Amino acid sequence: MKTFRYGRGSFGSRPDWRTYQSGLRRTKEPRRNSNRICRRIAEAAAFAALIYGCYAVLPINVGTLKDRWITPLFTTAAGVSVSGDEAPQQRAAAPAPGGAESEAQPPGEGAPASKNPPSPPPPAEAPASAGEASGSSPEPPVLKPDAEDTPAPESTPTAETAVALNDAADSVFASDPDGAMEFTTPVIDKAEIQLLFDRRRFVNLSKRAFDYDFDGRRYHIDTSIDNRLQQYMIASLQPQHAHSIGIVIMEPETGRILSMVSHDRDDPNNNACTESLFPAASIFKIVTAVAAVEEYGLQPDSTVTYIGAKHTLYRSQLNRKNQRNANRISLRDSFAQSVNPVFGKLGAQYLGKQALISHAEAFGFNQEIDFELPMAPSSFSVSDEPYNWAEIASGFNRSTMLSPLHGAIMASAVVANQGRLVEPSIVDQITDSSGRIIYRGQPKTLNKALSPETSSAMQSLMEETVLTGTCRKTFQGLSRSPVLSRLNIGGKSGSINSKSHERRRFDWFVGYAEEKAGNRKIVLSIVVAHQNYIGVKANMYARMAIEKYFENVGPKI
């Protein structure tokens, strides 16, 4: 992940968030595209010079060069040591990969042009540096770009990208005389998928698998979407009074997206789930609570105090001297009831600027996270003013921005992977028209956001929110529900109004659900930007999704 530093300043000094995000993309796009072009030119020149030197110096023809030197070299790199004469026999005995048969296809789209697609093998245990060369001279595989060369989200596919993909595919897959192919390593990565495929194609997917045509070639995409859950959430969407809705449901251990549903009144083709256009509000209290537990050893039963109302944040409420009539409350209840003065005091009087920054970045704020679709980083900034520290820590501001997908990633660290963030993925596998696998998703964890001990404390806080806190009305009757009574459910809600002229109210739920006597679990992140009237709230969408996913007892998808 790549760290970004956003401009310093307290709430009120930042530009409009839409202008800020679009300006950020425009400034990064030219530099990234320029670096990528220069990198490809340098690679092509170096490779051409190497081939020319070998052909001019060695007293053998190209075929001999391939059989005696190139084939053993690449085969050894793949983990099999054979001589040039033995290479054809080794390739003939290799298992054949295959194309994935689609579970369902959109109307009007054909199947991949492969008569007898073989079955796919398991991924290689050790990644190979390159496949066997085809033709008279080897072609270089597409290299994974560095972080600073990652394509900008608004980049569009080009003919050069397709040529690089096709050339790399020929070099990574080795064919024998009978047509068998051996899968060695993926041709493209998540950053290059963003260039090849139209991100609008992934908005509100109706089927798990589909075909996509690009540059005269057809590609078959198998996604991680749970068809039953996805179709249910799309049918349950009620956007009449909402400007935007983003729903993300994910497996916390693997990062596989089970459902991603979006609504944007201004642009129906926009994916609101990957846009950091929503104030984080009280969802940021998750970060503050983790910091308080790890930095000062607070526990769910620890007693904290506050004065005044629970959901306001005045400077007088942060005054150390004005504690004569202070209210006493546990950290668990203050989190469940979202008491702003408690978390404001934690930020201003205890944690301070540096602790807030370090824990926010540990949870992925101001970070680029790899995903098959363009994903805007969630922004976070803090000034040198203690009152701003209180605003940030309590979520009582509109400057900390969060995307629904990032909210699910935050929840994954609380309930899985020993406190580590998980890298999200919506594409399981991509095959080309000949059945060759050019991409296969792999689970990957990122940096550690909290310790396992802190994770247990956070689950206690989030479960109290559902039982007695701000989510209690939505989840009432848990013990009587045939589905919900079998689950442990935790979450954090959040809400904040937009600027007066926008007339929107942002409504959040970030949480999880897991079986008490099973292994299945999911994390959820839902935001609704209500407009004019309050419609279906994020908490209710969360309950609907949990009941639908766990209604049938069975193996994990």
Side-chain angles (χ1 to χ4, degrees), residues 271-335:
N271 192 345
C273 298
T274 60
E275 298 289 342
S276 58
L277 303 178
F278 309 98
S282 290
I283 301 303
F284 196 83
K285 285 187 173 77
I286 296 175
V287 179
T288 306
V290 168
V293 172
E294 297 203 334
E295 299 289 340
Y296 288 92
L298 294 184
Q299 296 300 318
D301 293 328
S302 298
T303 301
V304 291
T305 61
Y306 71 96
I307 59 174
K310 293 180 179 180
H311 301 137
T312 59
L313 188 67
Y314 298 109
R315 293 179 186 270
S316 60
Q317 293 179 280
L318 306 176
N319 192 340
R320 290 177 180 269
K321 298 180 181 179
N322 189 13
Q323 298 293 324
R324 178 179 300 177
N325 298 317
N327 302 296
R328 299 171 66 84
I329 191 173
S330 67
L331 180 64
R332 179 189 290 108
D333 290 337
S334 66
F335 184 91

Side-chain angles (χ1 to χ4, degrees), residues 10-92:
S10 61
F11 163 65
S13 62
R14 295 171 59 86
D16 179 72
W17 49 267
R18 286 186 181 275
T19 305
Y20 175 80
Q21 292 290 339
S22 60
L24 180 64
R25 295 193 185 101
R26 287 196 300 271
T27 56
K28 293 179 179 295
E29 181 175 359
R31 177 173 63 85
R32 288 174 171 169
N33 290 340
S34 176
N35 289 344
R36 186 176 182 83
I37 292 173
C38 293
R39 186 185 183 92
R40 293 292 180 256
I41 293 175
E43 290 174 355
F47 182 73
L50 176 63
I51 295 302
Y52 177 80
C54 293
Y55 184 76
V57 174
L58 297 178
I60 55 177
N61 57 33
V62 176
T64 305
L65 177 66
K66 170 181 176 293
D67 293 337
R68 294 188 178 181
W69 297 98
I70 297 178
T71 298
L73 176 62
F74 285 142
T75 307
T76 303
V80 181
S81 177
V82 296
S83 65
D85 296 332
E86 295 172 345
Q89 288 79 3
Q90 292 286 346
R91 293 195 301 274

Side-chain angles (χ1 to χ4, degrees), residues 488-516:
N488 293 320
I489 303 174
K492 183 73 187 81
S493 63
S495 60
I496 192 170
N497 292 327
S498 66
K499 297 178 181 179
S500 58
H501 67 276
E502 295 177 344
R503 301 184 65 183
R504 296 173 193 163
R505 182 169 181 81
F506 300 100
D507 170 34
W508 278 98
F509 178 87
V510 171
Y512 63 90
E514 61 181 355
E515 292 178 326
K516 295 178 180 178

Side-chain angles (χ1 to χ4, degrees), residues 136-150:
S136 60
S137 61
E139 294 289 338
V142 176
L143 300 178
K144 291 187 178 181
D146 294 331
E148 50 267 38
D149 295 330
T150 303

Side-chain angles (χ1 to χ4, degrees), residues 436-447:
R436 296 177 297 188
I437 303 172
I438 64 173
Y439 174 81
R440 179 177 288 162
Q442 298 290 344
K444 180 181 178 182
T445 56
L446 306 175
N447 55 280

Side-chain angles (χ1 to χ4, degrees), residues 284-298 320 331 342-360 382 386 389-390 392-394:
F284 196 83
K285 285 187 173 77
I286 296 175
V287 179
T288 306
V290 168
V293 172
E294 297 203 334
E295 299 289 340
Y296 288 92
L298 294 184
R320 290 177 180 269
L331 180 64
V342 168
F343 287 85
K345 287 174 60 178
L346 289 175
Q349 299 178 8
Y350 296 93
L351 298 175
K353 178 180 178 180
Q354 294 304 320
L356 289 173
I357 291 175
S358 62
H359 285 278
V382 59
W389 305 346
I392 296 297
S394 63

Side-chain angles (χ1 to χ4, degrees), residues 452-525:
E453 295 76 17
T454 305
S455 176
S456 299
M458 290 304 302
Q459 291 179 41
S460 174
L461 302 185
M462 297 177 75
E463 289 175 10
E464 190 69 22
T465 303
V466 171
L467 294 175
T468 65
T470 55
C471 301
R472 69 186 184 282
K473 291 183 179 180
T474 302
F475 288 92
Q476 62 183 349
L478 289 180
S479 59
R480 298 188 300 273
S481 170
V483 176
L484 302 183
S485 60
R486 298 185 289 105
L487 308 174
N488 293 320
I489 303 174
K492 183 73 187 81
S493 63
S495 60
I496 192 170
N497 292 327
S498 66
K499 297 178 181 179
S500 58
H501 67 276
E502 295 177 344
R503 301 184 65 183
R504 296 173 193 163
R505 182 169 181 81
F506 300 100
D507 170 34
W508 278 98
F509 178 87
V510 171
Y512 63 90
E514 61 181 355
E515 292 178 326
K516 295 178 180 178
N519 297 322
R520 293 197 303 170
K521 64 178 65 174
I522 57 173
V523 291
L524 309 92
S525 178

